[in-house]
Amino acid sequence: YEFWLNKKNQELKTFVEEFEGYKAEKTRQLHTLERHALYLLDYCNQLATVIANFEKGLYPVYEKSGIKAVQIPDKARPGPMAEETLRELLKYKKRADDFVRAHPTGLAASFSL
C-alpha cells in the first residue's frame, strides 16, 4: 500500500511541477499580450488624433509641382512601431489564425485582414 501511495505522490509532484511551468509560461504570454494591447491602444489613439487634426485643417498644406501635401509636425507623428513588437504580434496572430482553423465553429471569424 505504501508503494502505491508514494508512487501517486511522486506522480502528483511531477504533475504540479509541470503545471507550474505551464502556468508561468502562460502568465508570461498574458503579460506580453497585455503590454502589446496597451501599446497598440496608445498607437491607435495617436493616429486617431492625427486624423482628427487633419480633418479639422490644423496642419499646413503646401504645394510642390502641382501636388498638394499636408505637413504633419514631427511631434504629432507617431514613430514607427518597434520591429520586435510587430514580430511578436504577428506570431500571436498566426497562432490565433491556426487555432481558428483547427477549431471550426461555423462562424466566419478570422484574424486575417
Side-chain angles (χ1 to χ4, degrees):
Y1 176 75
E2 289 293 321
F3 170 78
W4 295 111
L5 187 60
N6 288 335
K7 184 176 178 182
K8 279 295 180 189
N9 280 338
Q10 186 57 41
E11 288 175 359
L12 285 173
K13 285 179 184 177
T14 303
F15 172 76
V16 168
E17 288 172 3
E18 289 174 358
F19 178 76
E20 290 298 326
Y22 170 82
K23 182 180 171 185
E25 175 64 20
K26 291 302 173 184
T27 300
R28 186 191 63 74
Q29 287 177 356
L30 179 66
H31 288 273
T32 299
L33 288 173
E34 182 179 22
R35 190 178 73 245
H36 290 331
L38 292 173
Y39 175 83
L40 288 174
L41 176 66
D42 289 342
Y43 198 81
C44 289
N45 281 335
Q46 291 174 6
L47 291 176
T49 300
V50 168
I51 291 169
N53 289 342
F54 175 76
E55 289 174 340
K56 291 177 186 175
L58 298 179
Y59 300 130
V61 177
Y62 66 95
E63 187 172 344
K64 184 176 181 181
S65 302
I67 298 173
K68 292 183 181 179
V70 175
Q71 187 173 0
I72 299 172
D74 288 338
K75 66 179 181 178
R77 246 186 253 159
M81 283 192 185
E83 286 185 38
E84 181 182 339
T85 301
L86 286 174
R87 271 194 301 275
E88 287 184 15
L89 288 170
L90 288 172
K91 176 182 76 173
Y92 285 115
K93 178 189 172 297
K94 182 184 179 325
R95 288 177 66 184
D97 282 339
D98 291 346
F99 181 83
V100 168
R101 276 193 291 281
H103 300 86
T105 60
L107 300 175
S110 175
F111 295 99
S112 299
L113 298 176

